[in-house]
């Protein structure tokens, strides 16, 4: 049972969002966790590095699993997501900010692309929640 007002709001936001808004939310979460991992890396808190980069990887894996493979772009997105997960693993293993920053750059660019795409389709009817992206 959800008791926190914040959790109720967050659940309501997810349930009432369009698919493109949900994808942007996933990017927001991945970006937030990579940034938190980088902060933890800077302070040498390796437990938090592992936790936050792992959460970002989980979100990226979710993005991979929701791709609609009937579109050619999905193959490219899948490969990019796979590469981003690789970068986050490398950052975590090597305790290096460079791979995480590279992944963060891709996530930020893709997020902005989805924001722009959702603005272009704002007038068009969005597909139902639960549909795939890509």
């Amino acid at each position: 049972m959800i008791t926190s007002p914040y959790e109720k709001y967050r659940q309501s936001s997810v349930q009432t969002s369009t698919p493109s808004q949900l994808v942007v939310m996933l990017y927001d979460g991945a970006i937030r966790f990579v940034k938190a991992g980088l902060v933890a890396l800077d302070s040498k808190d390796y437990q938090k590095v592992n936790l936050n980069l792992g959460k970002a990887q989980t979100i990226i894996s979710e993005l991979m699993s929701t791709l609609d493979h009937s579109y050619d772009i999905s193959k490219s997105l899948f490969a990019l997501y796979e590469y981003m997960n690789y970068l986050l693993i490398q950052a975590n293993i090597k305790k290096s900010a460079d791979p995480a920053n590279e992944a963060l750059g891709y996530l930020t660019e893709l997020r902005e692309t989805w924001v722009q795409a959702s603005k272009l389709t704002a007038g068009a009817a969005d597909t139902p929640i639960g549909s795939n992206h890509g």
Side-chain angles (χ1 to χ4, degrees):
M1 180 174 185
I2 298 174
T3 56
S4 161
Y6 172 74
E7 284 300 317
K8 287 180 183 178
Y9 168 77
R10 200 171 72 156
Q11 183 180 27
S12 174
S13 294
V14 168
Q15 291 173 344
T16 59
S17 296
T18 65
S20 57
Q21 290 170 327
L22 291 173
V23 172
V24 170
M25 285 180 189
L26 287 171
Y27 283 123
D28 286 342
I31 289 166
R32 185 176 68 249
F33 288 127
V34 172
K35 286 180 177 179
L38 286 166
V39 168
L41 188 60
D42 202 37
S43 63
K44 298 189 183 333
D45 186 343
Y46 298 126
Q47 186 174 1
K48 283 188 180 176
V49 171
N50 185 54
L51 176 71
N52 286 296
L53 295 184
K55 286 181 178 183
Q57 286 176 257
T58 300
I59 291 171
I60 292 169
S61 294
E62 179 64 22
L63 288 164
M64 291 170 80
S65 71
T66 61
L67 284 169
D68 182 345
H69 293 282
S70 65
Y71 297 99
D72 288 337
I73 189 75
S74 295
K75 292 175 188 146
S76 298
L77 279 172
F78 188 89
L80 184 57
Y81 291 150
E82 202 168 43
Y83 180 62
M84 284 190 281
N85 266 337
Y86 168 80
L87 289 170
L88 295 176
I89 290 167
Q90 291 303 304
N92 203 354
I93 291 171
K94 296 178 180 179
K95 304 305 179 216
S96 171
D98 290 342
N101 278 318
E102 184 178 348
L104 182 60
Y106 294 132
L107 287 165
T108 303
E109 281 185 45
L110 285 168
R111 182 202 181 277
E112 290 308 310
T113 300
W114 274 97
V115 167
Q116 293 302 318
S118 65
K119 286 178 184 175
L120 291 174
T121 61
D126 216 334
T127 53
I129 288 181
S131 66
N132 297 331
H133 78 286

